[in-house]
């Protein structure tokens, strides 16, 4: 399985619906809203490299609200930790707040 990390510039007024539309695409496994230079990060998992171009330029980039993309291909995964546990660091402390 090939993993692509797609950084997305998105119209800030459309972040929730744009994120959901991207998350609904079949090869997209997760979409995160993030701080920093980008508004969203999407993880795409495909079987063939050729599929990345079709997914990113043919589908994700055409979602209303997306203004730019930057794609990185993952070479190797160093952890097989549960993604929810990995991305949820710090939330266990915020539950009682």
């Amino acid at each position: 399985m090939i993993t692509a990390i797609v950084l997305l510039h998105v119209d800030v007024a459309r972040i929730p619906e744009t994120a959901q539309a991207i998350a609904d695409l079949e090869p997209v496994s997760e979409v995160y809203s993030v701080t920093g230079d980008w508004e969203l990060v999407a993880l795409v998992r495909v079987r063939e490299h050729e599929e990345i171009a079709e997914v990113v330029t043919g589908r994700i980039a055409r979602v209303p609200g997306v203004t730019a993309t930057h794609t990185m291909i993952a070479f190797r995964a160093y952890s097989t930790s549960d993604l929810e546990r990995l991305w949820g660091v710090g939330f266990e402390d915020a539950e009682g707040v």
Side-chain angles (χ1 to χ4, degrees), residues 78-86:
Y78 288 97
S79 174
T80 56
S81 298
D82 176 37
L83 283 174
E84 188 63 35
R85 186 173 58 85
L86 179 68

Side-chain angles (χ1 to χ4, degrees), residues 33-49:
S33 61
V34 295
T35 61
D37 294 333
W38 301 89
E39 288 76 44
L40 298 174
V41 174
L43 298 182
V44 175
R45 292 194 169 84
V46 295
R47 295 196 181 279
E48 304 289 331
H49 282 98

Side-chain angles (χ1 to χ4, degrees), residues 16-75:
E17 60 264 34
T18 302
Q20 188 59 59
I22 294 167
D24 289 342
L25 297 174
E26 182 59 36
V28 175
S29 59
E30 296 97 18
V31 177
Y32 299 95
S33 61
V34 295
T35 61
D37 294 333
W38 301 89
E39 288 76 44
L40 298 174
V41 174
L43 298 182
V44 175
R45 292 194 169 84
V46 295
R47 295 196 181 279
E48 304 289 331
H49 282 98
E50 293 78 20
E51 293 175 81
I52 295 168
E54 191 278 321
V55 171
V56 175
T57 61
R59 293 158 131 191
I60 292 175
R62 295 181 182 193
V63 169
V66 174
T67 59
T69 66
H70 180 83
T71 303
M72 300 178 287
I73 306 301
F75 290 131

